[in-house]
């Protein structure tokens, strides 16, 4: 119970304070980008970013820059990449270090790097890599590059679009400043909103300022790794005095000022509506998650806690539930979950009772099971189903070698798996009338698990449409509800009392009771306890004389368990292949 509560508390903590996992070991505290538009439609960009590496113990990083979003015929050419260390006031200390270019290798996309510092550009993914070792705690990186055919020319306007903070950057970018300097002739004037128009797409708190000096400034306090920031600037096409003939003809006959303005206005309206819708859905998903989690806690408090058993002793050295077969107690022990351990425990108990015989080798170790004919044993409990299962493994032979179990299952996998399924069904039919588990708590468990599934679907939808924060919170809430639902079902008072006896028996075996009281029990009584020691996982505590029935069963149990598990794996694999 304490372990359950500790797990639930941990999950609740994760919901209340989601971890900032998957983050890089460095920060980007500032980005200052300047794009100088040239009269031929190309753009010269200087990109300076300040990084803090104080949390990076290795002081070795592969930094990346993304340069997508330009027209299809645009081409990016990197001029230089350099870096310099900064002091506490972000002043450059020492000399700038120019990184050398190197040929790009595909393996670097998965985390590889060259043997020395340098940079490389992956033109197919528009991604720049900078490989640096021995980084200072704080540094500025400067990238200078040219983009040809970056501006599209129309009959009435030139259109420049620039993703200055693309999506899926490694870390959040803080204090992002992007300036577009237009090629304004000396005799021209800027009329904001008329001959020069600008729009920014990205964070809601971003700003756009059109200057009379021909510069357009964009600013974003923070651009998250999953967000982006995009600039769009339109200015008179006559300012591109050195535009090539091909660029002039590419969009000839198209007017851009009017249609782009209408598109951007509708985009803003649509974005505002979508933001309101996303905010409403986010609130709804979070409220639903909170309500379902609160209801799950209430249900768990009502039905999930076990009733105190009448038996409270720590130790007990008798069989719990004398009228229960070991496999039935195994189902009670593991909350009615099926397990091949129950088959092994039943075989051990049948050998103890003489329903099966164990053939030993010359060295005294278990070698084979001698199987009587079907029908010779009553099927009131599990004996008949166990014989049918063993006959499937032995091909109706009189015995089956322990080492041949997996081979037999490999030859007839479907028949073997069907026999196992029938065996588990027979055990379920025997367990059902015992009413081990509270029916009200079982129904509550089904409701909570269904609610967890609904929340999980809502979390997946939130990841896709509402963002990772809402999706992560909803997913953690679904996980918590699922865990609470898994632990909601409780035993009935009678079953809980049997389980308390079983725990006390387990404690007695584990804590040396077998060695201390072995001589006070008969060989038959000790042999009867071996199946329970196997089910409780304390078989290593069984210490008996080699010639006793208990010792023989204790030696058989792990060998039979390994070979039966191997038979199951072989049958499942064979059934999947065929």
């Amino acid at each position: 119970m304490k372990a359950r509560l500790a797990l639930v508390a941990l999950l609740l903590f994760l919901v209340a304070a989601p971890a900032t996992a998957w983050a890089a070991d460095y920060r980007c505290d500032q980005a200052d980008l300047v794009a100088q538009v040239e009269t031929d439609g190309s753009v010269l960009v200087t990109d300076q970013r300040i990084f803090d590496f104080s949390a990076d113990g290795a002081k070795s990083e592969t930094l990346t820059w993304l340069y997508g979003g330009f027209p299809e015929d645009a081409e990016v050419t990197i001029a230089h990449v350099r870096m310099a260390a900064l002091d506490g006031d972000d002043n450059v200390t020492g000399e700038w270090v120019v990184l050398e270019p190197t040929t790009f290798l595909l393996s670097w996309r998965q985390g590889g790097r060259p043997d020395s510092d340098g940079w490389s550009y992956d033109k197919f993914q528009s991604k720049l890599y900078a490989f640096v070792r021995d980084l200072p705690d704080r540094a500025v990186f400067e990238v200078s590059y040219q983009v040809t055919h970056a501006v599209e020319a129309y009959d009435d306007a030139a259109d420049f679009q620039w993703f200055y903070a693309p999506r899926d950057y490694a870390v959040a970018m803080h204090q992002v400043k992007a300036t577009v300097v237009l090629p304004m002739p000396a005799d021209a004037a800027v009329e904001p909103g008329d001959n020069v128009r600008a729009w920014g797409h990205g964070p809601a708190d971003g700003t756009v300022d059109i200057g009379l000096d021909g510069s357009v400034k964009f600013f974003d306090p923070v651009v998250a790794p999953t967000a982006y920031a995009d600039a769009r600037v339109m200015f008179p096409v006559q300012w591109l005095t050195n535009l090539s003939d091909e660029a002039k003809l590419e969009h000839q006959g198209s007017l851009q000022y009017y249609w782009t303005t209408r598109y951007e206005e509708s985009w803003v309206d649509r974005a505002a509506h979508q933001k309101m819708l996303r905010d409403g859905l986010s609130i709804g998903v979070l409220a639903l998650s909170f309500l379902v989690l609160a209801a799950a806690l209430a249900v768990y408090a009502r039905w999930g806690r076990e009733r105190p058993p009448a038996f409270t002793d720590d130790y007990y050295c008798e069989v719990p539930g004398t009228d229960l077969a070991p496999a039935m107690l195994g189902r009670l022990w593991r909350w009615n979950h099926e397990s091949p351990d129950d088959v092994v425990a039943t075989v051990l108990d049948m050998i103890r009772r003489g329903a099966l015989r164990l053939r030993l080798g010359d060295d005294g170790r278990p070698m084979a099971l001698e199987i009587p004919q079907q029908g010779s044993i009553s099927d009131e409990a599990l004996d008949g189903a166990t014989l049918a299962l063993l006959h499937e493994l032995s091909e109706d032979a009189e015995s089956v070698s322990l080492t041949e179990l997996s081979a037999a299952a490999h030859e007839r996998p479907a028949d073997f798996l069907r026999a196992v399924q029938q065996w588990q069904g027979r055990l379920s039919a025997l367990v059902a009338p015992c009413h081990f588990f509270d029916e009200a708590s079982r129904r509550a468990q089904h409701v909570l698990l269904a609610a967890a599934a609904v929340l999980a679907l809502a979390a997946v939808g939130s990841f896709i449409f509402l963002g990772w924060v809402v999706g992560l919170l909803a997913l953690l809430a679904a996980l918590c509800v699922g865990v609470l639902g898994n632990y909601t079902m409780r035993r009935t008072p009678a079953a809980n009392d049997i389980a308390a006896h079983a725990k006390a028996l387990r404690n007695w075996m584990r804590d040396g009771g077998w060695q201390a009281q072995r001589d006070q029990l008969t060989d038959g009584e000790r042999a009867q306890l071996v199946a329970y020691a196997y089910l409780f996982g304390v078989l290593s505590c069984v210490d008996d004389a080699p010639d006793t029935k208990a010792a023989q069963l204790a030696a058989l149990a792990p060998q039979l368990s390994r070979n039966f598990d191997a038979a199951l794996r072989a049958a499942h694999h064979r059934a999947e292949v065929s």
Side-chain angles (χ1 to χ4, degrees), residues 151-331:
V151 181
E152 296 180 295
Y154 296 85
D155 287 356
D156 60 341
D159 188 1
F160 174 52
Q161 299 184 56
W162 179 28
F163 276 93
Y164 58 89
R167 193 189 303 272
D168 296 328
Y169 193 59
V171 295
M173 299 174 63
H174 298 264
Q175 302 297 311
V176 181
K177 304 173 185 176
T179 303
V180 178
V181 181
L182 302 176
M184 185 176 66
D187 58 348
V190 172
E191 299 178 13
D194 187 11
N195 66 344
V196 176
R197 305 177 188 182
W199 300 270
H201 305 153
D205 53 358
T207 59
V208 181
D209 179 39
I210 301 176
L212 298 179
D213 59 350
S215 65
V216 183
K217 298 180 179 180
F218 301 82
F219 176 73
D220 300 281
V222 179
V223 180
T226 55
Y228 69 94
D230 173 32
R232 186 172 193 177
V233 180
M234 296 185 65
F235 57 93
V237 71
Q238 294 80 8
W239 292 4
L240 299 178
T241 55
N242 293 316
L243 199 63
S244 66
D245 293 338
E246 293 81 0
K248 293 178 181 178
L249 295 175
E250 184 176 2
H251 299 289
Q252 189 177 32
S254 299
L255 299 176
Q256 195 73 347
Y257 271 132
Y258 174 74
W259 293 111
T260 300
T261 301
R262 288 193 60 183
Y263 168 79
E264 290 291 343
E265 289 175 350
S266 65
W267 190 94
V268 171
D269 293 339
R270 185 169 62 253
H273 174 73
Q274 291 176 349
K275 184 178 184 303
M276 291 177 60
L277 182 61
R278 284 196 303 270
D279 291 345
L281 290 175
S282 298
I283 293 173
V285 170
L286 293 177
L288 176 64
S289 301
F290 176 79
L291 291 175
V292 172
L293 183 56
L297 287 170
V299 170
Y300 178 80
R302 171 64 179 84
W303 283 290
R305 293 179 295 180
E306 291 279 13
R307 301 180 181 91
F311 178 82
T312 57
D313 292 348
D314 293 331
Y315 298 103
Y316 186 73
C317 63
E318 296 181 14
V319 174
T322 55
D323 56 339
L324 296 179
M328 297 173 67
L329 185 64
R331 282 287 188 91

Side-chain angles (χ1 to χ4, degrees), residues 523-539:
D523 183 25
E525 290 173 334
R526 296 195 304 273
Q528 187 178 15
L529 295 177
V530 172
Y532 299 96
Y534 171 75
L535 287 173
F536 301 153
V538 291
L539 192 62

Side-chain angles (χ1 to χ4, degrees), residues 55-67:
D56 185 354
K59 293 295 189 290
S60 177
E61 288 290 347
T62 299
L63 304 177
T64 58
W65 287 257
L66 303 173
Y67 296 132

